[in-house]
Amino acid sequence: MAAQPGTSVAKAATKSESVQATKRASIPCSKPRGNNSNYSWAQGSNDSTTVYFNNHCSHTVTAKLTFRAGDDGTYKKCMTTNGGTHGKKRFTVTRYQLESIKQGTC
């Protein structure tokens, strides 16, 4: 790929490297069947992560969030959402990065 005149290839590469991939998780509903409670997040700074949720269930859903900090182990938090709601929740867990969201209790 050729660089456009006046465009810095190094600057473009640096910008794309700073963009984090969005991760996603789903928890199936017991009612109505076939629907899910969906979650998405991208790693922010080392201090916080925002989790976006959309609960398509007709009941509350509790998700277990697992944060990891290299060899320092894991840290778990719970997130409960009401049925038929969507929004976001910010978690401030210094040095830990959100690894997974699964159905469960803490």
Side-chain angles (χ1 to χ4, degrees):
M1 172 168 65
Q4 297 292 326
T7 302
S8 169
V9 174
K11 185 175 182 180
T14 303
K15 185 176 181 181
S16 66
E17 289 171 6
S18 67
V19 175
Q20 297 290 326
T22 300
K23 296 181 182 180
R24 300 180 191 282
S26 291
I27 296 174
C29 301
S30 57
K31 290 183 181 180
R33 292 198 182 273
N35 285 356
N36 294 308
S37 183
N38 300 310
Y39 305 87
S40 64
W41 70 97
Q43 288 310 136
S45 66
N46 284 337
D47 294 333
S48 70
T49 300
T50 301
V51 176
Y52 297 87
F53 65 90
N54 191 352
N55 185 349
H56 295 281
C57 305
S58 61
H59 53 84
T60 60
V61 174
T62 300
K64 182 171 35 175
L65 286 66
T66 303
F67 294 84
R68 181 172 300 282
D71 294 336
D72 291 341
T74 60
Y75 179 79
K76 298 189 187 306
K77 296 278 285 183
C78 274
M79 178 177 174
T80 301
T81 59
N82 292 322
T85 61
H86 60 90
K88 63 184 177 180
K89 172 117 173 107
R90 182 177 178 197
F91 292 90
T92 303
V93 185
T94 306
R95 298 181 306 125
Y96 287 79
Q97 294 188 351
L98 182 55
E99 182 177 78
S100 66
I101 297 177
K102 296 182 179 176
Q103 186 173 12
T105 58
C106 295

